[in-house]
Amino acid sequence: DILCLQEYHKSNILKNLFKYKYIKTNVTKNRFGDAIYSNYKIINSGSLNFPNTNNNAIFIDIIKSNDTLRIYNIHLESFKIDPNKEKFDEKSSIKIKYRLIKAFKKQVTQVKLIQKHLKESTYKSIICGDFNNTAFSWVYHQLNKNKNDAFEIAGNGFGSTYNFGFPMRIDFILADEKITINNFKTYTVKYSDHFPIMARLNLTP
């Protein structure tokens, strides 16, 4: 019913599969961006416009039964580490360290923007997306406040969502505590370096 895509590029493949959509692209970088497709009517939408980055967060408000629900699709700053290309000697490790610090500072700014936006809404909310960080991170624990992690409730195994050479879960679906999580699945298909995830949710009366 709802599909969130990061690093979206214009495509007609999904044109007839969903009734509504909201897409925000970055015109400075090959028109890549973020997209949310929905079979529920979208009554409001917008972009948080992260500063000094090609990453972003977008949202839609949808009508489900007699309730209004907010969906966030977020793509936090990447640490840009490729284990197949990096040299982990002393000199390179120093460069990687400063790259990580720079990326994490951007993630902190981005998370604070999301938190501020969340506080300004009275709707139940769901956060989906690529956090570029793990469930052990400060980023995750901030965004998971008053939320339930769909994988922790209904998933199994390691739940790896990123092909890094070992299990790494950096993509999440976090649902408001008032929303029931019925099912969670990770699809181990190699469409990209990430694996798609899906949750089945039910609004609690």
Side-chain angles (χ1 to χ4, degrees):
D1 292 320
I2 298 171
L3 176 68
C4 295
L5 299 172
Q6 303 86 44
E7 297 186 7
Y8 167 87
H9 190 269
K10 186 178 180 180
S11 170
N12 291 322
I13 295 174
L14 299 170
K15 184 170 66 174
N16 298 318
L17 297 180
F18 294 89
K19 296 178 182 177
Y20 309 97
K21 65 183 177 181
Y22 174 66
I23 298 169
K24 175 69 174 180
T25 56
N26 188 326
V27 295
T28 64
K29 192 179 181 183
N30 299 322
R31 300 192 64 82
F32 277 86
D34 301 283
I36 307 176
Y37 287 82
S38 173
N39 279 327
Y40 299 108
K41 185 177 181 180
I42 297 174
I43 60 169
N44 186 32
S45 60
S47 171
L48 273 64
N49 298 324
F50 291 161
N52 305 315
T53 182
N54 290 309
N55 295 67
N56 197 15
I58 61 175
F59 73 93
I60 61 171
D61 295 335
I62 61 169
I63 299 293
K64 174 70 170 71
S65 301
N66 295 319
D67 211 345
T68 302
L69 188 67
R70 173 159 292 179
I71 313 294
Y72 286 93
N73 178 23
I74 72 174
H75 186 199
L76 299 183
E77 194 71 20
S78 172
F79 291 109
K80 297 180 175 67
I81 294 178
D82 186 340
N84 297 316
K85 296 180 180 179
E86 301 288 355
K87 293 180 179 180
F88 294 96
D89 54 29
E90 184 176 354
K91 184 178 179 180
S92 296
S93 294
I94 294 172
K95 290 181 180 180
I96 293 171
K97 173 186 174 182
Y98 285 106
R99 194 195 311 164
L100 293 176
I101 291 171
K102 183 179 179 181
F104 182 69
K105 285 182 178 179
K106 284 191 175 184
Q107 285 191 353
V108 170
T109 299
Q110 293 163 4
V111 167
K112 288 181 177 179
L113 285 173
I114 296 167
Q115 288 178 313
K116 182 177 183 295
H117 202 269
L118 278 163
K119 287 179 181 178
E120 293 171 351
S121 171
T122 58
Y123 302 141
K124 299 184 189 77
S125 62
I126 298 168
I127 300 176
C128 307
D130 175 4
F131 288 19
N132 272 310
N133 220 320
T134 72
F136 303 102
S137 66
W138 176 89
V139 164
Y140 169 87
H141 287 288
Q142 293 300 307
L143 293 175
N144 199 35
K145 288 180 179 179
N146 303 315
K147 297 270 188 299
N148 286 319
D149 185 330
F151 169 78
E152 290 188 350
I153 300 297
N156 56 69
F158 290 109
S160 179
T161 67
Y162 184 60
N163 188 12
F164 197 71
F166 56 85
M168 181 174 285
R169 190 166 72 96
I170 64 174
D171 301 271
F172 302 91
I173 298 173
L174 309 178
D176 191 285
E177 291 176 337
K178 296 179 181 179
I179 298 173
T180 302
I181 299 167
N182 292 328
N183 179 266
F184 181 91
K185 183 174 181 178
T186 303
Y187 293 87
T188 54
V189 290
K190 294 183 179 180
Y191 294 142
S192 74
D193 53 353
H194 289 256
F195 300 126
I197 59 176
M198 181 188 74
R200 295 188 184 278
L201 310 174
N202 183 45
L203 288 179
T204 304

